[in-house]
Amino acid sequence: MTGFIYAISGGKAALAQDDARVSASLRRMVGSGLLVAVGYIDPGNWATDIAGGSGFGYGLLMVVVASAFLALGFQVLVSRLALATGQDLATLTARHLSPRWSKAAWLAGEAAILATALAELIGGAIALRLLFGLPLIAGVAVTGVGTFAVLALTRGNADRHERVIAVLLAVVAASFVFLLFKANPAWTAVAHGVGDTGRALRDPQGFLIALGILGATLMPHNLYLHSGSLAERAQSLPSSARGMAMRLARNDTIVSLGVAMLINSAIMIVAAASLSGSGLIVSSLDDAHAVIGHTLGLGAAIVFAVALYAAGQSSTITGVLAGRILSRGFQVRSNWSDRRRALATRLIAGAAAVGLLVATGGKDPDELLVLSQVILSLALPFALGPLVVLARRKQVMGDYVLQGAWAWAAVSATIGIIILDGYLLIDMVM
């Protein structure tokens, strides 16, 4: 009898331990959304939001919101893929799709990471020039050093990654709360402008800026990063807890990307309130900084530059993590550590940035931000296509397969995005 009671109590203790482990694993589903939110506030987004606000007031604000919801749908879908399979998007692409398609997806993902590193370095260099008058090439070097300082601070600790990202996002968010307060927009005019979206889109320039906003919002490497982060956390989850994990990851993604959407909306509102009315479209961060300083004061201009630098640096960690997931998932043979990989990526991006700055005489560095967005647009179909194909395969997703109206919506959105991105790229080249 004593042995029986002991066995029962031991079983309860084991069950309690299992429940504790599951609860701890479920808690870790929260936080990965912060890593992805970074991609929605990088300097490339700033350029399109400022151009839209300065040229069309609040008319394109609804495009920012709609683009954010579209990106949210794909991020929730990739989190569902990762938690249903316990594998990341790169691994599943390599395992279930053809070798040729897999190699193309890997190369496109690496190009997206390099493009993000380029935007980070150029954005940081512009911010340092605005703050301290530092030459752009020197600013690229200083920003690169800052990158490795951040990597050293967060080395080998996923929770520390998220805390640093949270601090940088908080800096950007607080900066734009301050700038909104200084700009003091007429909120009735904001509401009226949202209703004027159709007029802004009928203007050819407004339509192109809207496509730019869409192209700058969806980041292909973020899909790999999100799936990889969640797949690692889901390894210890029993199948019975995967539904709950999906709900937690979905809510975490909604909150994190909601914050990013509000920041992007604030960038456009500040631009509309302080830059519009001149009849000119301000797409240069230097010009936006100068006009904000003139209309809102020196303090507002300094806050703008600090937020720009924080936005650029916040993409540092996510780019390195996404690169690691790509290499592992596509089974690229490499003995490089995250730091060596980050060094190689930043050296290539830095050399490209310096070379382009020298070739152009340091004029119009914002054009390099545009170039980074073009590369991201080109890489996007190679991530979205496999994601939607895999999510609709029963043998991959099991009971969580995407079907019905949701499958139709995902396919339609992917095709639409590819067509619109193609239109934008053709217009940029012509």
Side-chain angles (χ1 to χ4, degrees), residues 225-298:
L225 173 63
H226 201 186
S227 65
S229 174
L230 285 173
E232 287 178 358
R233 300 170 190 221
Q235 295 298 323
S236 59
L237 273 180
S239 57
S240 59
R242 293 193 184 273
M244 174 64 75
M246 287 180 188
R247 289 191 289 275
L248 286 172
R250 179 197 63 200
N251 294 339
D252 176 53
T253 304
I254 289 172
V255 171
S256 299
L257 297 194
V259 170
M261 181 193 72
L262 291 175
I263 291 174
N264 272 320
S265 300
I267 294 172
M268 181 170 283
I269 291 172
V270 169
S274 57
L275 306 179
S276 65
S278 64
L280 298 175
I281 296 176
V282 178
S283 57
S284 163
L285 295 174
D286 290 277
D287 291 344
H289 176 264
V291 177
I292 286 175
H294 178 71
T295 57
L296 304 182
L298 178 61

Side-chain angles (χ1 to χ4, degrees), residues 20-30 233-234 236-238 248:
R21 280 194 294 268
V22 170
S23 296
S25 296
L26 287 173
R27 282 195 297 271
R28 295 188 68 234
M29 296 299 112
V30 177
R233 300 170 190 221
S236 59
L237 273 180
L248 286 172

